[in-house]
Amino acid sequence: MLPKLLVLVSGAMLAAAEILSLTELNWTLQNAEGLIKVPAQQPSQVHLDLKAAGVITEPLLGINDFTERWIVPDSWVYEADLSSVISQHAQGNNGSRTLLVFYGLDTVATITVAGHPVAWVNNQFQQYVYDITDFLASPLGNEKSINIAFESPFVYGQNVSARPDVESTIAIDFEWPGVRQYIRKISSDFGWDWGPAFAPSGVFKPAYLVTLSDSPATQSAENSPASHPLLVSQTGGIFIEESALEISKVGQNPNVRPDESADWLLNVTLAVRSMRADLNPTLSISIPELNVQSDPLKLSPIPAATNASTFVTASFTIPEGLPQRWYPHNLGTPKLYNITITLDVGGLPSVSYTTRSGFRTVYLAQTSYSQDDVAEHGLTPGDQWHFEVNGKAIYSKGSNLTPFDPFYPRTTSDKVRWILESVVKGGQNMLRVWGGGIYQPSDELTGGYDFYSACDELGILVWSELGFSDSTYPVNDFFLESVEREVRQNVRRIKRHPSNVQWAGGNEIEPAILLANNTLGSLLPSRYIDEFLLMFQDFLHDIVLQEQSSVAYTDCSTTNGVLSLEPYTLRLNNLTAGHIYGNAELYNYDSSQSFNYSTYPLSRFVNEFGFHSMPSFYSWEEVLQSADDFSFNSTVVMSRDHHPPALGLIWPNPLAPEGQKEMTVAVEQWLPTPGTSDKNQTFAQWCWSTQVFQSLYMQSEIAFYRRGSGRGERNLGALVWQLNDIWQGVSWSAIEHSGRWKVLQYGLANIFEPVIAYPFWVPETQNLEIAVTSDLWEAANGTVQLTWYDWHGGSLNTSSHAFSIGSLNSTVAYQVQGLSNILPAGYKVEEVWMLLSLNAEVDGQIYTHEQHFVPTSLAKSNLVDPMIKVEHGDDLTFTLSARGGVAPFTWLDHPAGTVGYFVDAVSGKPLNGFYLVPGSDRTVRFVQSAALSTIASPSPSDFVVHSLWNNTHI
């Protein structure tokens, strides 16, 4: 949906400098044979228009990801009438030029205007601008339309990969085989192990006709700056094709720690198309809040040209100490400033626009720890790998972001905002934008929805990746030329955002090529290593650092790091035993080892780790169409488990039973096995129990990595795979497709608290360690209270243990060995559990945290009917009481049609899936998203409470 700030005009007004959204045209869509022809919209994609016309049903329903595959191999044509626009040009208004502006085409398309071929494009990640004035002035024959003919992305990929001059590659096929690495399109569009493979096509981002005027008399004297660079074209003869702003320190180099005392450097780069030439154009920069105004800054000449853009650059310094710095939300205020850019081109009215940005330094430490560091702090030797913000090391707590929907045009800023606010509420300070998805947009006007600007505002750090994943790629000139333009455009656009903290070349490619090399040895042609290095060590590295200097480049999400930053040389297999290098990831689907700490990597930073789970019963209700489908191993449910992937187009996924088994075994091993006389309840409890296990496992890993901040590995980062869902199916997500929080999202909110206590239990040695970890920059002092209960809710004994902990560190608050010394006297492991309650003071602020220790599997614990009672209060508050025994993982479900989360009514912290103890009532409040909920005022009676007891009892 286009933002209201853009004034759309009719075709009759195009002769005066104006902007027309292609949304305003009347579009049709037809397939290559012309057998299907339907009304269409822009921006859109083929599946969405076919759905709107009733040709297909909602693609996410049932097994439509299979039955609607017929759409992908076909070619599709979008067409709209331009008669009113052409008539204006036929009147001979020589003082205007019209530009056709696409901010995203998905993907391979031929563009025709009034019968004239305009362009052939093949990169989803680029923006395209064409001067079509002459075409509109002289249509061929009676052609008065714009025609955008999309080739099948699958057929295109097949054709390209079959060329004799195209390199073979090493890649994983998820569904549509053998093509994704040959086409510059979202990789996961062809399938992934957490999503479908619709491979859509269409004008997926906003597009415009921009008419520039050379007649000052027809131009309005706009005094206030435009709210976006695109909108300056409403005032005259200038179009800003690209606008880039980078705020860094004077002399900053991403490979060296910034000089925090240096002045700030504001660098502005514009790509300009102008109706008039100027040998001496100027640019000025102002920040009203700081009372800062530059003098006119001289630019290189700008020609009178609308068929290509001219890049101009200017810089301006601001004294250190004048602006307030931007911080991630958990460490300070994400302060932003309105920055106004004014461009003066002789003979045209000056144009101004305002953008928002912040002042911060970011450094990715990748060099070796010194011998002094190793000796003084007891570190394991090797390289550093952590982020520093404004001169201080931070602990990166977060998750990995995947595309929000299989069909980009229907993603809204409201939905994205909800997901990002959930990140903040969940205690995360970093998101990794996964390289197999999309380059996330900066604003609605050009990107359809807002992402990076929202992260700036909310104080979320963003680890950005270029669009490459789990494959080697061609390195021929044709391919690299397209990639270069793609990367330059996106790096220039995103560098103004203080939230962006690094560029990685892609996802998991370095470990994949090293695995192939280590497995095949001399059988692997050396060219694969050479081509990997050419692309990810040299080519992409150089482009990124040519375009910006404020954040680092790394070759890959998971990497062994570098031998040298200047020149940039990857370490690869140049490893020393006993040293730690780069970062790490972990996926272990043997649930018998899930809580075995020796299976976790000792790493400086863990950027991916996860375990899959089912979506909730409520999400299944959105897509299942038969009562028989509501079963853990029904055909439709299993068809939505793409782990392990099918490796081709076989449907249903023949490998899904393995993924289903992994979840099943995990639940059976660690939780009461769901099974009741109510079929739907059993299915619902199975789905929920997979989420409970997932949360327990991820909490264990995160606690381990965070504890590593005070140990030899000096771990300073943990990013869970994954944050969000692209559809309703089996995945590693913490938040479901609708925005509903899974158990994991509440678990992350708990384990990402600033100061936490966690029980590290090693059953083989019967050793229990209560560790306290803090990611604050200030020292923390406090106590951990340990209270043993039986499952009836009786308090058996309690002890209190003081701790003192430094900045970004961990400590042991209590340690004991042997069950006879751990358990309350006379009790067995099946009969008891422990509550950990932390209370810490940091600079006068109180921090609290709660965790639990069960000395055996909950599947073996002697649970007691909790007899939970719920009382409804005002404003969707619920007070829960256990009238029987303890209810582990007491859970409230909000009804279908609502999106929101539960918070503790006193502390305001997210709270669900908690231990409810007799005599200790809990009151929670439901915080609802009005924008995403279809039911505005849900009835309290429609909220459902259950716990692990309901796995086996009605």
mmCIF file with all atom_site columns, all heavy atoms in Angstrom, residues 390-404:
data_model
loop_
_atom_site.group_PDB
_atom_site.id
_atom_site.type_symbol
_atom_site.label_atom_id
_atom_site.label_alt_id
_atom_site.label_comp_id
_atom_site.label_asym_id
_atom_site.label_entity_id
_atom_site.label_seq_id
_atom_site.pdbx_PDB_ins_code
_atom_site.Cartn_x
_atom_site.Cartn_y
_atom_site.Cartn_z
_atom_site.occupancy
_atom_site.B_iso_or_equiv
_atom_site.pdbx_formal_charge
_atom_site.auth_seq_id
_atom_site.auth_comp_id
_atom_site.auth_asym_id
_atom_site.auth_atom_id
_atom_site.pdbx_PDB_model_num
ATOM 1   N N   . ASN A 1 390 ? 30.169 2.621   19.560 1.00 0.00 ? 390 ASN A N   1
ATOM 2   C CA  . ASN A 1 390 ? 30.627 3.841   20.226 1.00 0.00 ? 390 ASN A CA  1
ATOM 3   C C   . ASN A 1 390 ? 31.800 3.579   21.159 1.00 0.00 ? 390 ASN A C   1
ATOM 4   O O   . ASN A 1 390 ? 31.895 4.124   22.262 1.00 0.00 ? 390 ASN A O   1
ATOM 5   C CB  . ASN A 1 390 ? 29.466 4.520   20.971 1.00 0.00 ? 390 ASN A CB  1
ATOM 6   C CG  . ASN A 1 390 ? 28.403 5.039   20.016 1.00 0.00 ? 390 ASN A CG  1
ATOM 7   O OD1 . ASN A 1 390 ? 28.714 5.507   18.923 1.00 0.00 ? 390 ASN A OD1 1
ATOM 8   N ND2 . ASN A 1 390 ? 27.146 4.928   20.405 1.00 0.00 ? 390 ASN A ND2 1
ATOM 9   N N   . GLY A 1 391 ? 32.690 2.717   20.698 1.00 0.00 ? 391 GLY A N   1
ATOM 10  C CA  . GLY A 1 391 ? 33.933 2.482   21.405 1.00 0.00 ? 391 GLY A CA  1
ATOM 11  C C   . GLY A 1 391 ? 33.889 1.431   22.485 1.00 0.00 ? 391 GLY A C   1
ATOM 12  O O   . GLY A 1 391 ? 34.900 1.190   23.149 1.00 0.00 ? 391 GLY A O   1
ATOM 13  N N   . LYS A 1 392 ? 32.751 0.763   22.667 1.00 0.00 ? 392 LYS A N   1
ATOM 14  C CA  . LYS A 1 392 ? 32.633 -0.250  23.710 1.00 0.00 ? 392 LYS A CA  1
ATOM 15  C C   . LYS A 1 392 ? 32.142 -1.568  23.122 1.00 0.00 ? 392 LYS A C   1
ATOM 16  O O   . LYS A 1 392 ? 31.226 -1.587  22.279 1.00 0.00 ? 392 LYS A O   1
ATOM 17  C CB  . LYS A 1 392 ? 31.666 0.197   24.805 1.00 0.00 ? 392 LYS A CB  1
ATOM 18  C CG  . LYS A 1 392 ? 32.146 1.378   25.640 1.00 0.00 ? 392 LYS A CG  1
ATOM 19  C CD  . LYS A 1 392 ? 31.147 1.666   26.756 1.00 0.00 ? 392 LYS A CD  1
ATOM 20  C CE  . LYS A 1 392 ? 31.609 2.790   27.658 1.00 0.00 ? 392 LYS A CE  1
ATOM 21  N NZ  . LYS A 1 392 ? 30.638 3.061   28.759 1.00 0.00 ? 392 LYS A NZ  1
ATOM 22  N N   . ALA A 1 393 ? 32.724 -2.673  23.588 1.00 0.00 ? 393 ALA A N   1
ATOM 23  C CA  . ALA A 1 393 ? 32.253 -3.993  23.171 1.00 0.00 ? 393 ALA A CA  1
ATOM 24  C C   . ALA A 1 393 ? 30.839 -4.210  23.687 1.00 0.00 ? 393 ALA A C   1
ATOM 25  O O   . ALA A 1 393 ? 30.470 -3.757  24.779 1.00 0.00 ? 393 ALA A O   1
ATOM 26  C CB  . ALA A 1 393 ? 33.185 -5.076  23.705 1.00 0.00 ? 393 ALA A CB  1
ATOM 27  N N   . ILE A 1 394 ? 30.034 -4.913  22.904 1.00 0.00 ? 394 ILE A N   1
ATOM 28  C CA  . ILE A 1 394 ? 28.663 -5.235  23.304 1.00 0.00 ? 394 ILE A CA  1
ATOM 29  C C   . ILE A 1 394 ? 28.444 -6.730  23.183 1.00 0.00 ? 394 ILE A C   1
ATOM 30  O O   . ILE A 1 394 ? 29.191 -7.431  22.499 1.00 0.00 ? 394 ILE A O   1
ATOM 31  C CB  . ILE A 1 394 ? 27.620 -4.504  22.433 1.00 0.00 ? 394 ILE A CB  1
ATOM 32  C CG1 . ILE A 1 394 ? 27.672 -5.037  20.978 1.00 0.00 ? 394 ILE A CG1 1
ATOM 33  C CG2 . ILE A 1 394 ? 27.825 -3.003  22.460 1.00 0.00 ? 394 ILE A CG2 1
ATOM 34  C CD1 . ILE A 1 394 ? 26.470 -4.664  20.152 1.00 0.00 ? 394 ILE A CD1 1
ATOM 35  N N   . TYR A 1 395 ? 27.411 -7.212  23.858 1.00 0.00 ? 395 TYR A N   1
ATOM 36  C CA  . TYR A 1 395 ? 26.951 -8.586  23.629 1.00 0.00 ? 395 TYR A CA  1
ATOM 37  C C   . TYR A 1 395 ? 25.785 -8.507  22.654 1.00 0.00 ? 395 TYR A C   1
ATOM 38  O O   . TYR A 1 395 ? 24.771 -7.847  22.923 1.00 0.00 ? 395 TYR A O   1
ATOM 39  C CB  . TYR A 1 395 ? 26.525 -9.288  24.917 1.00 0.00 ? 395 TYR A CB  1
ATOM 40  C CG  . TYR A 1 395 ? 26.465 -10.789 24.709 1.00 0.00 ? 395 TYR A CG  1
ATOM 41  C CD1 . TYR A 1 395 ? 27.538 -11.591 25.098 1.00 0.00 ? 395 TYR A CD1 1
ATOM 42  C CD2 . TYR A 1 395 ? 25.394 -11.388 24.063 1.00 0.00 ? 395 TYR A CD2 1
ATOM 43  C CE1 . TYR A 1 395 ? 27.525 -12.963 24.858 1.00 0.00 ? 395 TYR A CE1 1
ATOM 44  C CE2 . TYR A 1 395 ? 25.373 -12.746 23.826 1.00 0.00 ? 395 TYR A CE2 1
ATOM 45  C CZ  . TYR A 1 395 ? 26.438 -13.535 24.220 1.00 0.00 ? 395 TYR A CZ  1
ATOM 46  O OH  . TYR A 1 395 ? 26.429 -14.884 23.964 1.00 0.00 ? 395 TYR A OH  1
ATOM 47  N N   . SER A 1 396 ? 25.924 -9.186  21.524 1.00 0.00 ? 396 SER A N   1
ATOM 48  C CA  . SER A 1 396 ? 24.890 -9.204  20.494 1.00 0.00 ? 396 SER A CA  1
ATOM 49  C C   . SER A 1 396 ? 23.892 -10.313 20.814 1.00 0.00 ? 396 SER A C   1
ATOM 50  O O   . SER A 1 396 ? 24.235 -11.493 20.784 1.00 0.00 ? 396 SER A O   1
ATOM 51  C CB  . SER A 1 396 ? 25.506 -9.426  19.110 1.00 0.00 ? 396 SER A CB  1
ATOM 52  O OG  . SER A 1 396 ? 26.436 -8.411  18.804 1.00 0.00 ? 396 SER A OG  1
ATOM 53  N N   . LYS A 1 397 ? 22.668 -9.911  21.111 1.00 0.00 ? 397 LYS A N   1
ATOM 54  C CA  . LYS A 1 397 ? 21.598 -10.855 21.458 1.00 0.00 ? 397 LYS A CA  1
ATOM 55  C C   . LYS A 1 397 ? 20.508 -10.726 20.405 1.00 0.00 ? 397 LYS A C   1
ATOM 56  O O   . LYS A 1 397 ? 19.947 -9.646  20.235 1.00 0.00 ? 397 LYS A O   1
ATOM 57  C CB  . LYS A 1 397 ? 21.014 -10.532 22.836 1.00 0.00 ? 397 LYS A CB  1
ATOM 58  C CG  . LYS A 1 397 ? 22.028 -10.451 23.949 1.00 0.00 ? 397 LYS A CG  1
ATOM 59  C CD  . LYS A 1 397 ? 21.371 -10.152 25.300 1.00 0.00 ? 397 LYS A CD  1
ATOM 60  C CE  . LYS A 1 397 ? 20.736 -8.780  25.353 1.00 0.00 ? 397 LYS A CE  1
ATOM 61  N NZ  . LYS A 1 397 ? 20.176 -8.467  26.693 1.00 0.00 ? 397 LYS A NZ  1
ATOM 62  N N   . GLY A 1 398 ? 20.220 -11.812 19.694 1.00 0.00 ? 398 GLY A N   1
ATOM 63  C CA  . GLY A 1 398 ? 19.221 -11.636 18.669 1.00 0.00 ? 398 GLY A CA  1
ATOM 64  C C   . GLY A 1 398 ? 18.837 -12.882 17.930 1.00 0.00 ? 398 GLY A C   1
ATOM 65  O O   . GLY A 1 398 ? 18.933 -14.001 18.440 1.00 0.00 ? 398 GLY A O   1
ATOM 66  N N   . SER A 1 399 ? 18.413 -12.675 16.681 1.00 0.00 ? 399 SER A N   1
ATOM 67  C CA  . SER A 1 399 ? 17.888 -13.764 15.874 1.00 0.00 ? 399 SER A CA  1
ATOM 68  C C   . SER A 1 399 ? 18.074 -13.446 14.398 1.00 0.00 ? 399 SER A C   1
ATOM 69  O O   . SER A 1 399 ? 18.554 -12.376 14.030 1.00 0.00 ? 399 SER A O   1
ATOM 70  C CB  . SER A 1 399 ? 16.400 -13.997 16.198 1.00 0.00 ? 399 SER A CB  1
ATOM 71  O OG  . SER A 1 399 ? 15.664 -12.798 16.043 1.00 0.00 ? 399 SER A OG  1
ATOM 72  N N   . ASN A 1 400 ? 17.672 -14.394 13.574 1.00 0.00 ? 400 ASN A N   1
ATOM 73  C CA  . ASN A 1 400 ? 17.852 -14.301 12.125 1.00 0.00 ? 400 ASN A CA  1
ATOM 74  C C   . ASN A 1 400 ? 16.518 -14.063 11.438 1.00 0.00 ? 400 ASN A C   1
ATOM 75  O O   . ASN A 1 400 ? 15.526 -14.749 11.717 1.00 0.00 ? 400 ASN A O   1
ATOM 76  C CB  . ASN A 1 400 ? 18.479 -15.597 11.600 1.00 0.00 ? 400 ASN A CB  1
ATOM 77  C CG  . ASN A 1 400 ? 19.915 -15.774 12.047 1.00 0.00 ? 400 ASN A CG  1
ATOM 78  O OD1 . ASN A 1 400 ? 20.841 -15.455 11.329 1.00 0.00 ? 400 ASN A OD1 1
ATOM 79  N ND2 . ASN A 1 400 ? 20.118 -16.286 13.260 1.00 0.00 ? 400 ASN A ND2 1
ATOM 80  N N   . LEU A 1 401 ? 16.517 -13.102 10.517 1.00 0.00 ? 401 LEU A N   1
ATOM 81  C CA  . LEU A 1 401 ? 15.296 -12.693 9.837  1.00 0.00 ? 401 LEU A CA  1
ATOM 82  C C   . LEU A 1 401 ? 15.202 -13.333 8.465  1.00 0.00 ? 401 LEU A C   1
ATOM 83  O O   . LEU A 1 401 ? 16.152 -13.306 7.681  1.00 0.00 ? 401 LEU A O   1
ATOM 84  C CB  . LEU A 1 401 ? 15.279 -11.172 9.685  1.00 0.00 ? 401 LEU A CB  1
ATOM 85  C CG  . LEU A 1 401 ? 14.015 -10.567 9.097  1.00 0.00 ? 401 LEU A CG  1
ATOM 86  C CD1 . LEU A 1 401 ? 12.940 -10.472 10.172 1.00 0.00 ? 401 LEU A CD1 1
ATOM 87  C CD2 . LEU A 1 401 ? 14.302 -9.184  8.502  1.00 0.00 ? 401 LEU A CD2 1
ATOM 88  N N   . THR A 1 402 ? 14.029 -13.898 8.159  1.00 0.00 ? 402 THR A N   1
ATOM 89  C CA  . THR A 1 402 ? 13.729 -14.437 6.836  1.00 0.00 ? 402 THR A CA  1
ATOM 90  C C   . THR A 1 402 ? 12.636 -13.580 6.202  1.00 0.00 ? 402 THR A C   1
ATOM 91  O O   . THR A 1 402 ? 12.052 -12.716 6.861  1.00 0.00 ? 402 THR A O   1
ATOM 92  C CB  . THR A 1 402 ? 13.265 -15.900 6.944  1.00 0.00 ? 402 THR A CB  1
ATOM 93  O OG1 . THR A 1 402 ? 12.088 -15.954 7.766  1.00 0.00 ? 402 THR A OG1 1
ATOM 94  C CG2 . THR A 1 402 ? 14.348 -16.775 7.568  1.00 0.00 ? 402 THR A CG2 1
ATOM 95  N N   . PRO A 1 403 ? 12.331 -13.758 4.912  1.00 0.00 ? 403 PRO A N   1
ATOM 96  C CA  . PRO A 1 403 ? 11.243 -12.977 4.309  1.00 0.00 ? 403 PRO A CA  1
ATOM 97  C C   . PRO A 1 403 ? 9.939  -13.126 5.087  1.00 0.00 ? 403 PRO A C   1
ATOM 98  O O   . PRO A 1 403 ? 9.638  -14.180 5.640  1.00 0.00 ? 403 PRO A O   1
ATOM 99  C CB  . PRO A 1 403 ? 11.133 -13.572 2.901  1.00 0.00 ? 403 PRO A CB  1
ATOM 100 C CG  . PRO A 1 403 ? 12.524 -14.037 2.599  1.00 0.00 ? 403 PRO A CG  1
ATOM 101 C CD  . PRO A 1 403 ? 13.040 -14.576 3.911  1.00 0.00 ? 403 PRO A CD  1
ATOM 102 N N   . PHE A 1 404 ? 9.157  -12.049 5.101  1.00 0.00 ? 404 PHE A N   1
ATOM 103 C CA  . PHE A 1 404 ? 7.944  -12.021 5.919  1.00 0.00 ? 404 PHE A CA  1
ATOM 104 C C   . PHE A 1 404 ? 6.789  -12.780 5.283  1.00 0.00 ? 404 PHE A C   1
ATOM 105 O O   . PHE A 1 404 ? 5.853  -13.180 5.973  1.00 0.00 ? 404 PHE A O   1
ATOM 106 C CB  . PHE A 1 404 ? 7.514  -10.567 6.165  1.00 0.00 ? 404 PHE A CB  1
ATOM 107 C CG  . PHE A 1 404 ? 8.504  -9.771  6.957  1.00 0.00 ? 404 PHE A CG  1
ATOM 108 C CD1 . PHE A 1 404 ? 9.391  -8.918  6.335  1.00 0.00 ? 404 PHE A CD1 1
ATOM 109 C CD2 . PHE A 1 404 ? 8.556  -9.886  8.345  1.00 0.00 ? 404 PHE A CD2 1
ATOM 110 C CE1 . PHE A 1 404 ? 10.315 -8.177  7.066  1.00 0.00 ? 404 PHE A CE1 1
ATOM 111 C CE2 . PHE A 1 404 ? 9.473  -9.157  9.086  1.00 0.00 ? 404 PHE A CE2 1
ATOM 112 C CZ  . PHE A 1 404 ? 10.358 -8.304  8.457  1.00 0.00 ? 404 PHE A CZ  1
#
